[in-house]
Amino acid sequence: MTQLKPSLDLAVLGNCSIAALVDTKASIVWCCIPRLDGDPAFCSLLRNPALEDDGMWEIELLGFTASSQRYIPNSAILETILEDAQGGAIKIIDFIPRFNRHRRMFRPVSIVRMIEPLRGVPRIRVRLRPRHEYGKHGASTTRGSNHVRYLLGTEVLRLTTDAPVSLIQSETPFVIDRPLVMVLGADEPVTDLGLIGVDWYEQTLEYWRDWTRQLALPFEWQEEVIRAAITLKLCSYEETGGIVAALTTSMPEFAHSGRNWDYRYCWLRDTFFVVQTLNRLSVTRTMEHYITYVTNIVTGWDEGPLQPIFGLGFETALDESEVDTLAGYRGMGPVRIGNGAYDQIQNDGYGSVILAVAQSFFDKRVARPGGVGLFKQLERLGEEAARRWIEPDAGLWEFRTRAEIHTHSSVMCWAACDRLHRIAVKLELHDRAEVWRDRAERMHAGIWERAWNEKRQSFVATFEGEDLDGSLLLLQELGFVRADDPRFLSTLAAIEAELREGDHLFRYRRPDDFGPPEISFVICSFWLVEALAAVGRRDEARAIFERLLAHRSPLGLLSEGIDPNSGELWGNFPQSYSLVGLIRAALRLSRPWEEAF
C-alpha cells in the first residue's frame, strides 16, 4: 500500500487513561501503553514510512480513492468513510471507552473499532502491527478462536473480534459484507462482542454529550471551543489529575531544527492558565483533579528549587535520552525520551502553582476548599519566590545554555506573593496578609525599575536587557500593569514591531541554543489576540483570531507552532497550551449571550 507522508492531519481518541492518534485513512499511528507517557505500541508517526511499514493499526480499503472524517458531534468518537475505485465504501467508527459504570468511571486501556460496509463490495486488509521498546521490537503473537494476543515485553494486548481471525493474522484481504467489531485491550476475555461494541459506543457517546452540556460556552465559536475543550480533557490523566503538555514526543518545532522534545509530562508553568481556563469553562471536576495533582507536588516539595516538570505519577527524574530505533517525524530525528529541562532552574513555577491552587480558596464549587493548612504549604513556596525573584534562571522558554534574570519569572514570583496576600485576607490572617503585601510591593517596584528599558520604551525580556519576548504580553493579564498604562501600550507596540509576522507572533527573535527561531508559537499569537482586545483593539483581535482558527487541522486541533509562510502546523500534538489559548481568546472575544439574540 502506498504510504502517505506523515502530517498533523490527525484525530485524537482518548479516555483520560490512554490516547491514540488516527490519520486521515483511519490508521492508528500513535498510542502509548499503559498511560499517556508510556511505551508507544503504535509508533509509525515517528518511523520512516518508506522503509518501515509497521507500528500501526491500519484498515486498508483495497482500491482506495478518497476519505472523509468527522467527530460525532460533541464527542471524542471518530467517524471515517473510505471509498474505493469501484464505488464501494466503508465506515469506521473509532473510540476509546469512557463512561460511568458501577458508580465509578470506566476507562479501560482499550480501543474499539467498528467497521460497516456502506455500498458496493468493499474488500479490506487489516494490518495490526504493534511494537515495543520505542519501536525496537515487533510483537510476538498467539491466537484463540476469536482473538489474537500481542506480546509486547511486559504488556500483553488482546484483539477480540468477530472478523476472520486467521485473515487478520495473515493480513489477507477479505470482503466485508456485514458490520464487524474489533476490541484491542487488556489480555482478558471479551464475551458477547457485538453487544459490547454497541453498548460501549452508546454509553461513551452519552458520556461525552453530557460532559459537553455542562460547558460554559461563549455564544460565538461554540464548535471550536467544544473541540478544544474535549481535546484538552483527553490530555488529562485521571488517575493522578495531571495534564500533559502534548500527547507526543519529538515532533520537531520546525523542519530539521533539532528542536525535538518529549512533551508527555506536566509543566508547572502551564498550571495557572489551564486551571483558569477550566474554571471559565465550568469544567470543575477536571480542574479539581488538576489542583489535586499540583497540591500533591506542593506538599511533597522539599526546600530548594522547585522542579519545573513532573511525570504523570509525580516522577521527578525525567532523564533525557535519544533512541535510535525511531527515525523521527518525516525522518527528522532525533527522537527523545524524557526531558532534561526537569532539573533546570525556572523561577516562574512558584507563581504558577500558587495562582492555580488559589482557585480552591475562592471557588465555592470545589469539594475540598483550601484552608489554613494548605495556605501554610503555599507560604513555603512564597518564601522561595521572595528569595528567587531577583536570581537568574532558564526562563519560560527553557534556555539550556544561558541563565539571566527573566522578567516573566520575576513577575510570576511577584504574583506568588500578591496572591498569598489575597488568600491571607480571605482567611482573615491579617498579620500574614501584611507580610505578603509588603513583599509584593517591594518586588513590584524592583521589577518595574529593572525590567523597563527607557531607550526602547518597553518592558524587556530580562533585567537591564534589550530583547523582547512574547511573555511580556501577560503583564496586564497577571495584574502587574493595567492594560491602559502607557508603558504597557508602548510595550505592545514594540512587540508587534519586532515579534509579529502577520497574524503570528514569535516567542522571541534572539538566537538560542539552536539558532534564531523559525516558527511562530501558537500560544503567543493567542496572547497577542487577548492583549489587543484588552487595550481596545477588539475588531482587529477578532479578525486575527478568525484567521488563526483557519490554521487548525481539518478536525479542529492545534500543535505548538505555525509556519507563518505556509501555515503548516509543527511541533508536538495536540498542544494543551495552544488549546487553552484558543478557548481563552474565544471566551474574551465572543459577544455575550444576552446581546446575541
Side-chain angles (χ1 to χ4, degrees):
M1 182 176 184
T2 302
Q3 294 290 335
L4 298 176
K5 181 173 72 172
S7 79
L8 293 185
D9 291 350
L10 300 169
V12 178
L13 313 175
N15 66 354
C16 305
S17 288
I18 62 169
L21 302 183
V22 187
D23 72 11
T24 56
K25 296 176 72 174
S27 288
I28 296 177
V29 297
W30 184 259
C31 181
C32 297
I33 300 293
R35 65 184 201 184
L36 301 177
D37 58 354
D39 188 7
F42 300 114
C43 56
S44 63
L45 183 65
L46 297 184
R47 288 173 72 77
N48 186 336
L51 303 176
E52 302 160 317
D53 189 15
D54 58 3
M56 78 301 186
W57 185 1
E58 178 182 60
I59 299 171
E60 177 191 0
L61 177 64
L62 272 65
F64 168 83
T65 57
S67 70
S68 60
Q69 281 183 319
R70 67 172 186 132
Y71 280 109
I72 304 300
N74 298 350
S75 82
I77 300 174
L78 179 69
E79 176 189 274
T80 305
I81 294 177
L82 304 179
E83 302 178 33
D84 65 27
Q86 291 74 41
I90 62 172
K91 178 170 68 176
I92 303 170
I93 297 291
D94 289 324
F95 67 98
I96 298 179
R98 179 179 172 83
F99 51 86
N100 287 293
R101 188 172 75 172
H102 305 314
R103 292 187 162 184
R104 61 184 297 180
M105 189 59 64
F106 179 64
R107 41 179 173 80
V109 179
S110 297
I111 302 172
V112 180
R113 316 200 76 176
M114 305 168 67
I115 313 168
E116 177 185 346
L118 295 180
R119 61 179 181 268
V121 187
R123 298 175 71 229
I124 65 171
R125 176 189 286 118
V126 178
R127 289 187 175 97
L128 178 48
R129 300 179 180 177
R131 301 188 68 81
H132 61 105
E133 290 191 40
Y134 285 84
K136 185 175 183 179
H137 302 293
S140 301
T141 62
T142 64
R143 65 156 293 179
S145 58
N146 66 346
H147 71 266
V148 182
R149 298 170 74 243
Y150 296 85
L151 311 181
L152 300 165
T154 59
E155 298 291 330
V156 180
L157 296 178
R158 179 190 290 227
L159 174 72
T160 306
T161 181
D162 52 5
V165 173
S166 61
L167 300 184
I168 290 176
Q169 261 199 309
S170 64
E171 299 184 353
T172 301
F174 59 92
V175 171
I176 175 170
D177 56 3
R178 58 185 172 84
L180 301 175
V181 177
M182 300 181 183
V183 177
L184 182 69
D187 187 23
E188 300 169 352
V190 176
T191 58
D192 210 345
L193 183 66
L195 179 61
I196 281 179
V198 173
D199 180 61
W200 285 6
Y201 169 82
E202 291 177 348
Q203 292 199 64
T204 299
L205 180 59
E206 186 60 26
Y207 165 82
W208 284 112
R209 286 181 170 171
D210 279 345
W211 188 85
T212 303
R213 288 186 189 104
Q214 299 170 32
L215 294 176
L217 294 173
F219 175 74
E220 298 178 274
W221 305 297
Q222 291 183 43
E223 290 186 8
E224 293 85 347
V225 170
I226 287 171
R227 184 52 47 202
I230 289 175
T231 309
L232 181 60
K233 173 76 171 175
L234 298 182
C235 291
S236 68
Y237 183 64
E238 194 161 76
E239 188 171 305
T240 61
I243 298 177
V244 296
L247 295 173
T248 57
T249 178
S250 304
M251 304 294 286
E253 291 181 14
F254 194 63
H256 305 288
S257 66
R259 302 175 188 264
N260 300 12
W261 312 114
D262 193 345
Y263 271 19
R264 299 170 299 162
Y265 306 111
C266 306
W267 268 257
L268 295 187
R269 69 178 178 215
D270 299 350
T271 53
F272 167 56
F273 287 108
V274 172
V275 166
Q276 187 184 68
T277 301
L278 293 172
N279 174 55
R280 292 177 180 179
L281 283 172
S282 199
V283 184
T284 52
R285 190 168 305 237
T286 303
M287 179 188 75
E288 284 187 77
H289 288 165
Y290 194 33
I291 291 174
T292 298
Y293 175 87
V294 175
T295 302
N296 267 290
I297 290 173
V298 171
T299 55
W301 171 71
D302 203 352
E303 301 302 321
L306 179 63
Q307 185 168 317
I309 312 170
F310 290 83
L312 286 169
F314 310 113
E315 293 86 359
T316 55
L318 305 175
D319 296 322
E320 185 176 298
S321 61
E322 296 181 8
V323 299
D324 58 8
T325 51
L326 294 171
Y329 179 73
R330 300 184 187 173
M332 299 175 190
V335 172
R336 294 186 171 98
I337 305 169
N339 197 302
Y342 81 91
D343 63 357
Q344 287 185 349
I345 303 297
Q346 294 181 27
N347 293 329
D348 59 321
Y350 306 101
S352 296
V353 169
I354 290 173
L355 266 64
V357 179
Q359 187 78 29
S360 65
F361 292 88
F362 296 95
D363 195 329
K364 295 295 185 182
R365 298 168 298 176
V366 299
R368 293 177 294 277
V372 174
L374 180 57
F375 173 71
K376 289 181 178 179
Q377 294 284 352
L378 294 179
E379 281 196 298
R380 296 193 304 133
L381 290 178
E383 295 288 350
E384 200 72 14
R387 185 173 73 83
R388 291 181 175 274
W389 73 276
I390 204 165
E391 294 185 0
D393 71 347
L396 172 71
W397 309 119
E398 301 177 358
F399 297 115
R400 295 198 168 199
T401 58
R402 66 173 183 251
E404 297 173 283
I405 304 175
H406 290 93
T407 299
H408 176 76
S409 296
S410 297
V411 169
M412 291 303 290
C413 288
W414 162 81
C417 298
D418 177 74
R419 273 38 168 206
L420 284 171
H421 161 69
R422 300 186 197 187
I423 295 171
V425 170
K426 173 71 173 177
L427 297 176
E428 299 183 355
L429 302 174
H430 303 298
D431 290 345
R432 301 309 300 163
E434 185 175 345
V435 167
W436 291 112
R437 182 197 64 201
D438 291 346
R439 286 179 175 175
E441 287 178 352
R442 289 197 300 271
M443 292 163 69
H444 192 279
I447 296 168
W448 196 275
E449 178 181 356
R450 299 189 62 184
W452 174 258
N453 185 307
E454 185 67 26
K455 179 181 177 181
R456 299 211 63 177
Q457 285 295 292
S458 174
F459 289 104
V460 285
T462 59
F463 281 12
E464 284 88 36
E466 296 283 338
D467 298 305
L468 306 177
D469 78 35
S471 68
L472 297 170
L473 295 173
L474 299 175
L475 293 176
Q476 58 86 26
E477 181 68 32
L478 294 167
F480 183 84
V481 62
R482 289 172 54 90
D484 60 358
D485 188 293
R487 293 194 179 191
F488 181 74
L489 293 172
S490 60
T491 298
L492 173 59
I495 287 174
E496 287 190 89
E498 186 167 309
L499 304 183
R500 183 175 172 182
E501 192 168 315
D503 299 324
H504 307 281
L505 200 76
F506 283 68
R507 50 187 170 168
Y508 49 83
R509 293 287 194 180
R510 178 184 176 185
D512 59 19
D513 314 333
F514 294 84
E518 301 170 286
I519 204 83
S520 69
F521 255 45
V522 174
I523 186 62
C524 291
S525 299
F526 285 130
W527 288 346
L528 174 63
V529 167
E530 289 203 74
L532 293 176
V535 302
R537 295 162 61 183
R538 192 175 183 85
D539 290 343
E540 184 180 356
R542 285 174 61 93
I544 294 173
F545 180 63
E546 289 277 11
R547 291 192 291 269
L548 287 173
L549 290 178
H551 289 290
R552 295 175 305 146
S553 71
L555 289 170
L557 308 182
L558 285 165
S559 63
E560 183 179 27
I562 298 173
D563 182 347
N565 297 313
S566 68
E568 185 175 5
L569 296 175
W570 286 93
N572 281 302
F573 182 90
Q575 184 84 357
S576 296
Y577 221 14
S578 299
L579 301 170
V580 165
L582 184 158
I583 294 166
R584 287 170 52 89
L587 291 170
R588 180 185 284 270
L589 294 173
S590 174
R591 287 178 292 156
W593 281 88
E594 57 267 26
E595 295 179 9
F597 56 87

